Amino acid sequence: MTNICSTGLDIGFASLDYLQIGILGVIQGITELLPVSSTAHMRIVPALLGWPDPGSAFSAAMQLAALAAVVSYFWRDVRQVATGSLEAVRQRDFNNQWFILAVAIVLATIPIGIAGIALSSTLNACNSPLRGLMVIGISCVVMAVLLAIAELTCRHRRTVGEMRLRDALIVGIAQIGALIPGVSRSGSTLTAALFLNFKREEAARFSFLLGLPAIALAGLKELWVLFHAQLPAQAWAHLIFGLVIASISAFFAIWGLMRFLEKFSTWPFVIYRAVLGIFLIVAVSTGLLS
């Protein structure tokens, strides 16, 4: 492919080889489900290694790997939400906890669905200003500060069973921030859930379950866009290879995160995000990265 931006769609991944795709797949899978921003790392790692930017289309499509990991890890919850809510409708028991959670998941998806459609042309454009390293650096620092405030001021007592529809709407609005590279979908929703006084591991569970439709819709929508872009077979092979690698790494990432949050706080992520953000701001300001 001679011009990866000939259609106006950012598909830089088509110019990468399988080793590069594999490395980015591992990084994408790990960072997609940790509160550190996978999109940020998809810009930073290629920039540091001198590789082409794989593009926002690659990052969005790779969310299907996170979907596979979340569904497989939380399969019991996913099954209970599906079967429990259907049974609640059949019995007209609208106070059923699984029905309420199903409604909450739908409610939380509406804000990012509207925002994603409104910003899709900007997000997927070649050389999108939102994928600038300075934007990512600032986003990392802002989210580090917010996550730190959540750790310092919130009580961390609530469980998903105590979730109200208002909580879902707040977390859903926070999820819009994920459209900005550096913010992180898991980071924004986890932080919002912590501000609502959920336990750390329950906040992560809440974040992942509410994010399932958004992750699925974003990934499937990107596949649809890529399909109509008439990509060559080699580009599709790269994408599928990346998805497989990312799915495996994403499962281990969510497994590790849930066990970590059962015993520890999110301070390591706060520090990591702050250091990463400051590094990017300094690197761009001094011309080390562009």
Side-chain angles (χ1 to χ4, degrees):
M1 183 178 294
T2 57
N3 186 355
I4 60 173
C5 270
S6 59
T7 64
L9 182 66
D10 190 356
I11 51 173
F13 70 90
S15 65
L16 301 175
D17 59 37
Y18 281 104
L19 177 60
Q20 293 169 324
I21 289 290
I23 292 172
L24 293 180
V26 171
I27 295 171
Q28 169 77 22
I30 293 173
T31 58
E32 177 68 39
L33 296 177
L34 298 183
V36 295
S37 178
S38 60
T39 307
H41 287 77
M42 287 298 101
R43 277 288 286 119
I44 297 165
V45 173
L48 290 174
L49 297 177
W51 298 350
D53 179 2
S56 59
F58 179 81
S59 298
M62 285 295 106
Q63 291 189 53
L64 292 175
L67 176 67
V70 172
V71 170
S72 58
Y73 187 88
F74 290 106
W75 174 244
R76 181 177 297 177
D77 286 326
V78 173
R79 183 182 60 190
Q80 286 184 315
V81 168
T83 59
S85 58
L86 289 174
E87 181 64 19
V89 171
R90 190 181 68 83
Q91 296 183 358
R92 297 184 180 277
D93 178 14
F94 301 118
N95 290 319
N96 180 283
Q97 65 168 333
W98 299 112
F99 175 79
I100 294 174
L101 183 54
V103 173
I105 290 172
V106 173
L107 183 64
T109 307
I110 294 173
I112 194 172
I114 295 172
I117 293 172
L119 294 173
S120 61
S121 59
T122 300
L123 293 169
N124 291 337
C126 296
N127 302 314
S128 170
L130 290 179
R131 287 179 66 81
L133 292 177
M134 180 61 77
V135 173
I136 293 172
I138 294 172
S139 298
C140 283
V141 172
V142 170
M143 286 305 301
V145 171
L146 291 175
L147 190 55
I149 293 173
E151 277 291 350
L152 290 171
T153 63
C154 301
R155 295 190 296 272
H156 314 303
R157 295 175 180 172
R158 299 176 63 195
T159 66
V160 171
E162 301 173 272
M163 183 272 306
R164 299 185 294 269
L165 293 181
R166 184 187 67 180
D167 301 324
L169 182 59
I170 292 172
V171 175
I173 292 172
Q175 192 171 214
I176 295 175
L179 297 174
I180 302 173
V183 170
S184 164
R185 194 208 64 80
S186 59
S188 60
T189 54
L190 174 65
T191 301
L194 289 176
F195 271 115
L196 293 169
N197 295 314
F198 283 89
K199 295 178 182 178
R200 295 179 183 90
E201 70 276 14
E202 290 290 293
R205 180 179 169 220
F206 191 24
S207 164
F208 290 136
L209 290 175
L210 291 191
L212 281 174
I215 295 171
L217 290 173
L220 292 173
K221 180 252 182 189
E222 207 58 49
L223 286 183
W224 181 255
V225 172
L226 291 173
F227 175 77
H228 285 278
Q230 298 182 335
L231 298 183
Q234 183 181 3
W236 281 111
H238 283 181
L239 193 62
I240 292 171
F241 179 70
L243 278 169
V244 172
I245 298 298
S247 296
I248 297 170
S249 57
F251 182 87
F252 285 104
I254 194 172
W255 177 84
L257 177 65
M258 295 302 293
R259 275 152 183 74
F260 180 87
L261 292 179
E262 288 172 0
K263 298 179 180 179
F264 305 104
S265 72
T266 62
W267 280 108
F269 301 113
V270 171
I271 296 170
Y272 178 80
R273 292 188 68 106
V275 171
L276 179 62
I278 293 170
F279 165 75
L280 287 175
I281 292 171
V282 172
V284 173
S285 300
T286 59
L288 179 63
L289 292 174
S290 60

